[in-house]
Amino acid sequence: MAQLGFFLGALGGLLSVAFGAFGAHALRDRLDAYSLGVFETAVQYQFYHSLALLIAGLLLIQFPASMLLKSSVVLFVLGILVFSGSLYILSLSGVRWWGAVTPLGGLAFIAAWACMATAGWQLLGS
């Protein structure tokens, strides 16, 4: 799971930079200000949580049995897919109901951070 978290974090960072550049250059003149802002939010959250995945992967090297860290990896990946994915679809398609899916990804992010915080309290505080 450590290797997977690290790999997916690095891949997510790579894609964040690529999507950010795509948005800044290819979409700037094709999307309205609202849709471009939504796209940029998706990139920003994907990047932040890709870094969190890298951290979780590194922590799992030190604490491979931590179910909380493993859970945080799964929840960060789920959050990126659902939160950022729904915003990418919303911004590119204009189909507004995708915005109703986004908070589910936000809940996954919150749960992932809660797992990481609890793991930190348990593993690093002892």
Side-chain angles (χ1 to χ4, degrees), residues 2-26:
Q3 184 178 6
L4 181 65
F6 193 87
F7 170 76
L8 291 176
L11 180 63
L14 178 151
L15 291 173
S16 296
V17 174
F19 292 168
F22 176 72
H25 299 289

Side-chain angles (χ1 to χ4, degrees), residues 56-71:
L58 289 172
L59 286 170
L60 274 167
I61 293 169
Q62 184 69 30
F63 306 104
S66 174
M67 288 306 294
L68 286 167
L69 289 174
K70 291 176 184 176
S71 296

Side-chain angles (χ1 to χ4, degrees), residues 41-42 45-46 78-88 101-107 109:
T41 298
Y45 274 75
Q46 179 179 339
L78 184 63
I80 290 169
L81 292 174
V82 175
F83 186 92
S84 294
S86 65
L87 290 181
Y88 288 133
V101 175
T102 307
L104 298 174
L107 289 173
F109 285 149

Side-chain angles (χ1 to χ4, degrees), residues 29-82:
D29 297 329
R30 296 178 185 198
L31 297 179
D32 60 25
Y34 171 79
S35 295
L36 192 57
V38 169
F39 190 89
E40 289 170 352
T41 298
V43 170
Q44 187 177 41
Y45 274 75
Q46 179 179 339
F47 188 72
Y48 293 153
H49 292 92
S50 294
L51 290 175
L53 267 172
L54 285 171
I55 292 167
L58 289 172
L59 286 170
L60 274 167
I61 293 169
Q62 184 69 30
F63 306 104
S66 174
M67 288 306 294
L68 286 167
L69 289 174
K70 291 176 184 176
S71 296
S72 70
V73 167
V74 171
L75 289 163
F76 280 131
V77 170
L78 184 63
I80 290 169
L81 292 174
V82 175

